[in-house]
Amino acid sequence: MNTPRKGRAYAAVLLYTLIIGFSFMFAKMAITIADPLDTLAHRFTISLAAASAALLMTRRRFRWSKKGMLAVIPLAVFYPLLFFILQTFGLVYTTSAEAGIINATVPIFTMLLASLFLKEHSNALQKLFTVISVAGVILIFVLKGVSLASSSTLGIILILLSALSTSVYTVMARRLTQKQSVLDITFMMSLLGFATFNVISISRHAAVGNVSQYFAAFSHPTFVWSVLYLGVLASLGTSLLANYTLSQLEASRMSIFNNLSTIITVFAGVLFLQEQIAYYHILGAALVITGVIGVSLAGHHKSRSAVIRSIKKN
């Protein structure tokens, strides 16, 4: 085991979690000013500009073979394309709180897919702590009074598919980051997100004859700061951090941190939006943190055991 490298991977995933946790607050502010599809288009335009700047600053050329480019397209299809489209339209038919419950299934989906396609078999302790973490997220929303029975079936299906898209991306990225540069993968993801969401957004404006409104949201300072955060940190930054983490850690171990971002979102609302905190927030946070730490430690124990067995065989 390369301990310094693992340490950097955990630092990266913690920063990724922190950025994602605050991104919901900035997204909420942005879509109160602009249409969600316009927000996505501007978000990925800024993300592509930042990715291009990163390539220039590192003095690297974007050199990909046709085979390499074709390999990353399916990755970008699941995230950011399918994930954001499904999430955006799913939220039209259900609430963000209900979506939070469904999104808590990401670590379970990822664990199953990683086992099937990457042969990353989780031990009993990892499975137990994953369930504890998921239970912590669900507990917060259930005690808050959210009932999935009141939601539209279509909304539930769309959010569930967005969660599945994240899991598929995580598993695919785990394999691809072993072969390709993290920065190159992230640049391609930003490029495809930019092209897709801008085509959709501009086409929608053209259809109703108000293309001039495409940039209207930039007259609001709140939107400008929000979309900069979303484009530079929540799109480019998290893609870089996630891809780097997946080049070092198992997909199932990385995905459990998804639930920690929910806790950060809750406390961000308390700190910056003056939202109220209740006992179930504390209880749910404790379960999530216990699950995240437990999965990490159980995975470390499993890796160490595998190394010891390998040494004994040799």
Side-chain angles (χ1 to χ4, degrees):
M1 291 179 65
N2 189 323
T3 303
R5 188 172 292 178
K6 294 286 184 182
R8 288 193 294 270
Y10 278 115
V13 75
L14 285 171
L15 182 56
Y16 161 88
T17 301
L18 185 66
I19 294 171
I20 290 293
F22 281 97
S23 70
F24 290 98
M25 182 178 69
F26 284 100
K28 187 175 180 180
M29 291 189 291
I31 62 175
T32 59
I33 297 168
D35 179 87
L37 289 174
D38 288 350
T39 300
L40 287 172
H42 297 316
R43 174 177 183 164
F44 280 93
T45 298
I46 292 169
S47 177
L48 179 62
S52 301
L55 284 174
L56 288 172
M57 286 189 291
T58 55
R59 297 182 179 180
R60 293 181 68 260
R61 281 190 175 184
F62 179 69
R63 292 179 178 176
W64 268 46
S65 63
K66 183 179 178 181
K67 183 179 178 181
M69 293 183 75
L70 289 175
V72 82
I73 288 174
L75 183 71
V77 165
F78 283 100
Y79 185 93
L81 303 186
L82 275 178
F83 171 76
F84 281 112
I85 290 171
L86 290 166
Q87 185 188 71
T88 298
F89 287 98
L91 287 170
V92 173
Y93 301 102
T94 188
T95 67
S96 58
E98 291 161 338
I101 295 176
I102 300 167
N103 204 51
T105 60
V106 167
I108 295 175
F109 281 138
T110 304
M111 186 179 289
L112 293 172
L113 292 172
S115 177
L116 285 172
F117 297 105
L118 300 178
K119 307 306 177 187
E120 291 181 5
H121 299 296
S122 305
N123 59 34
L125 275 177
Q126 285 178 301
K127 290 183 175 70
L128 173 63
F129 282 116
T130 297
V131 171
I132 288 172
S133 177
V134 171
V137 176
I138 294 174
L139 179 72
I140 291 173
F141 293 116
V142 170
L143 292 181
K144 193 176 179 180
V146 175
S147 171
L148 290 177
S150 63
S151 298
S152 162
T153 301
L154 178 60
I156 292 173
I157 291 172
L158 290 174
I159 296 297
L160 196 60
L161 288 173
S162 77
L164 184 58
S165 295
T166 304
S167 299
V168 173
Y169 152 75
T170 303
V171 171
M172 292 177 69
R174 170 64 175 164
R175 181 171 291 172
L176 190 60
T177 52
Q178 308 297 310
K179 305 173 184 177
Q180 304 285 359
S181 160
V182 168
L183 184 55
D184 287 346
I185 293 171
T186 305
F187 179 85
M188 274 295 295
M189 290 170 64
S190 297
L191 178 62
L192 290 168
F194 160 80
T196 303
F197 292 123
N198 273 281
V199 166
I200 293 172
S201 178
I202 293 171
S203 298
R204 186 182 66 84
H205 280 291
V208 296
N210 66 346
V211 177
S212 60
Q213 294 299 308
Y214 176 70
F215 291 108
F218 283 97
S219 63
H220 299 269
T222 299
F223 179 82
V224 173
W225 288 112
S226 297
V227 82
L228 280 171
Y229 181 93
L230 295 171
V232 177
L233 292 178
S235 293
L236 176 63
T238 57
S239 293
L240 280 169
L241 292 166
N243 290 333
Y244 173 74
T245 301
L246 288 166
S247 71
Q248 306 297 326
L249 298 179
E250 296 93 333
S252 55
R253 207 187 307 187
M254 188 267 184
S255 71
I256 196 67
F257 284 84
N258 177 75
N259 288 343
L260 191 57
S261 66
T262 302
I263 302 305
I264 293 171
T265 300
V266 169
F267 286 95
V270 172
L271 289 172
F272 298 103
L273 300 178
Q274 285 74 54
E275 295 177 355
Q276 297 298 310
I277 190 168
Y279 74 93
Y280 48 79
H281 292 126
I282 305 296
L283 182 57
L287 288 173
V288 169
I289 293 169
T290 299
V292 169
I293 294 173
V295 168
S296 299
L297 292 178
H300 176 74
H301 175 73
K302 184 179 73 171
S303 299
R304 185 171 59 184
S305 299
V307 170
I308 292 171
R309 287 196 299 270
S310 177
I311 292 171
K312 286 181 177 179
K313 284 181 181 179
N314 294 328

